[in-house]
Amino acid sequence: MSRPNATMLSKDKSARLALGFRVKTGRATAVVMAASASAPRVLSRRSLQLWDPAIPASHQPWHAEFELPPDESARIVPQALKAVDRVACSALRELVAEVQPALGSIVGIALVAGSSTDPESIRNPHMRAHAREGQLFPQALTTAAKTLRIPAVMFVESEVFATAAARLGKSPDAIKLAVTELGRALGKPWSAEEKTAAAAAWIILAG
């Protein structure tokens, strides 16, 4: 975890928790939210590293595929992909082990990706690599959630606030304002990525 944790601990271990992640290439911004959909609380936020520095290609595996000679990429890319799955599982396991015993039961995980575009529909190899990596890291966390037997749902960033609004019976602007207020308890900075992750977690708490 590359960023110091800011946490409001609760002694109520029966609380319902949801984890929201805004996932980008090689990393994810995570927010832990608790209580009911009508009265949520943001308990903590942090940054997760999802690649292995010992395997540099694991930061952008699909770039390595077209940047390296074929023989070298055939060897390195599978190794990098395995590293992503391993690191994502380890990072999520560590987060769950830290949060769940102290704060309550995790009912679900929301993963927010930048796009749902099919990478194979993109002709430009560089842009296709970006699209593949945009899906790789959320998928790695989805696999990790399945390993830990925690339900996981995927969202696209552009749809998160509208989905939360529809689920909670509010307007998207009201959701954005509420999420901004929820972050005040943790202090600044309360970034756009953290707000998006919080909105996604709120959807999970809404059932």
Side-chain angles (χ1 to χ4, degrees):
M1 295 182 186
S2 57
R3 173 176 170 173
N5 181 29
T7 307
M8 295 176 60
L9 293 179
S10 167
K11 298 299 183 181
D12 182 8
K13 296 182 180 180
S14 64
R16 297 172 67 250
L17 305 179
L19 307 182
F21 296 86
R22 174 59 179 100
V23 190
K24 292 196 170 183
T25 299
R27 64 182 179 86
T29 298
V31 169
V32 182
M33 185 175 282
S36 66
S38 60
R41 292 175 295 140
V42 174
L43 300 181
S44 70
R45 40 74 182 290
R46 68 207 63 195
S47 180
L48 303 183
Q49 182 172 294
L50 302 177
W51 65 287
D52 185 353
I55 305 175
S58 64
H59 184 242
Q60 292 183 303
W62 295 119
H63 276 72
E65 183 183 49
F66 76 85
E67 290 173 350
L68 296 173
D71 290 349
E72 193 172 353
S73 68
R75 175 179 58 84
I76 288 178
V77 171
Q79 182 185 38
L81 295 175
K82 288 180 181 178
V84 169
D85 283 337
R86 172 175 49 78
V87 173
C89 190
S90 177
L92 183 60
R93 190 185 300 276
E94 182 180 341
L95 174 60
V96 169
E98 177 185 339
V99 167
Q100 191 160 259
L103 303 179
S105 176
I106 297 172
V107 297
I109 291 173
L111 302 164
V112 182
S115 172
S116 60
T117 300
D118 179 4
E120 305 316 309
S121 69
I122 301 173
R123 292 187 177 183
N124 182 283
H126 185 252
M127 298 307 296
R128 184 166 60 247
H130 276 298
R132 284 176 169 178
E133 287 152 4
Q135 293 185 356
L136 170 64
F137 293 94
Q139 289 170 351
L141 283 171
T142 299
T143 300
K146 289 180 180 179
T147 299
L148 298 177
R149 298 183 180 181
I150 301 174
V153 180
M154 190 87 73
F155 299 101
V156 176
E157 183 179 31
S158 61
E159 301 173 353
V160 169
F161 287 97
T163 301
R167 190 71 58 87
L168 294 161
K170 301 176 183 288
S171 70
D173 285 344
I175 295 294
K176 291 177 182 179
L177 179 61
V179 167
T180 298
E181 291 298 317
L182 286 171
R184 291 186 184 277
L186 299 182
K188 296 181 179 180
W190 180 236
S191 69
E193 291 181 12
E194 290 165 333
K195 293 173 186 177
T196 299
W202 199 355
I203 296 170
I204 297 297
L205 287 177

